[in-house]
């Protein structure tokens, strides 16, 4: 499961800080898999390729794990879109251009 969090500062600052970025604390919430209220634990990072207006390359995403069922959730920075390499603005710009060509 992926969640989006709002980043502080610019995309460049987020990318530059990498794993040292001040990510949101592990959430206390209902697990999407076991449906129990749990304190999620930090569970490493992964890199994700992203293309946005001012950046093209890998960005760090934080991962948390449910201590009961071991399912993970990851937090994507707000300029990323789950399931897409391109950001929202880039996808929108492509759709506008395509519509103008019809
Ligand atoms: Zn769980």
């Amino acid at each position: 499961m992926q969640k989006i969090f709002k980043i502080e500062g610019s995309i460049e600052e987020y990318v530059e800080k990498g794993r040292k970025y001040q990510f949101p604390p592990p959430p206390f919430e209902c697990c999407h898999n076991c449906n129990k209220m749990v304190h999620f634990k930090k569970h490493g990072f992964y890199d994700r390729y992203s293309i946005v207006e001012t950046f093209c390359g890998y960005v760090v995403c934080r991962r948390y794990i449910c201590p009961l069922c071991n399912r993970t959730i990851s937090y994507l920075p707000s300029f990323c879109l789950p399931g897409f390499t391109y950001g929202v603005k880039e996808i929108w710009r492509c759709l506008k251009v395509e519509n103008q060509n019809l």
Side-chain angles (χ1 to χ4, degrees):
M1 180 179 196
Q2 295 179 318
K3 294 189 168 201
I4 296 175
F5 73 97
K6 186 170 179 0
I7 63 168
E8 302 287 332
S10 68
I11 295 172
E12 290 77 18
E13 289 169 6
Y14 178 86
V15 171
E16 191 178 310
K17 287 182 181 172
R19 294 178 179 205
K20 292 180 180 168
Y21 182 83
Q22 191 69 37
F23 289 94
F28 174 70
E29 62 186 30
C30 186
C31 174
H32 62 287
N33 186 56
C34 64
N35 283 329
K36 299 205 168 85
M37 289 298 290
V38 294
H39 286 281
F40 279 82
K41 306 279 185 214
K42 292 179 182 174
H43 191 61
F45 303 91
Y46 70 92
D47 293 330
R48 178 185 201 276
Y49 197 76
S50 186
I51 302 171
V52 293
E53 59 185 312
T54 56
F55 177 76
C56 175
Y58 286 95
V59 295
V60 172
C61 298
R62 190 67 160 123
R63 187 180 281 152
Y64 301 99
I65 189 167
C66 171
L68 298 180
C69 71
N70 290 334
R71 291 298 292 259
T72 60
I73 56 174
S74 55
Y75 274 41
L76 299 181
S78 49
F79 59 87
C80 290
L81 199 57
F84 291 89
T85 301
Y86 286 89
V88 175
K89 286 181 185 173
E90 288 64 41
I91 292 171
W92 181 246
R93 188 171 48 227
C94 289
L95 291 172
K96 272 177 77 175
V97 170
E98 284 297 317
N99 282 337
Q100 287 171 355
N101 292 337
L102 293 177

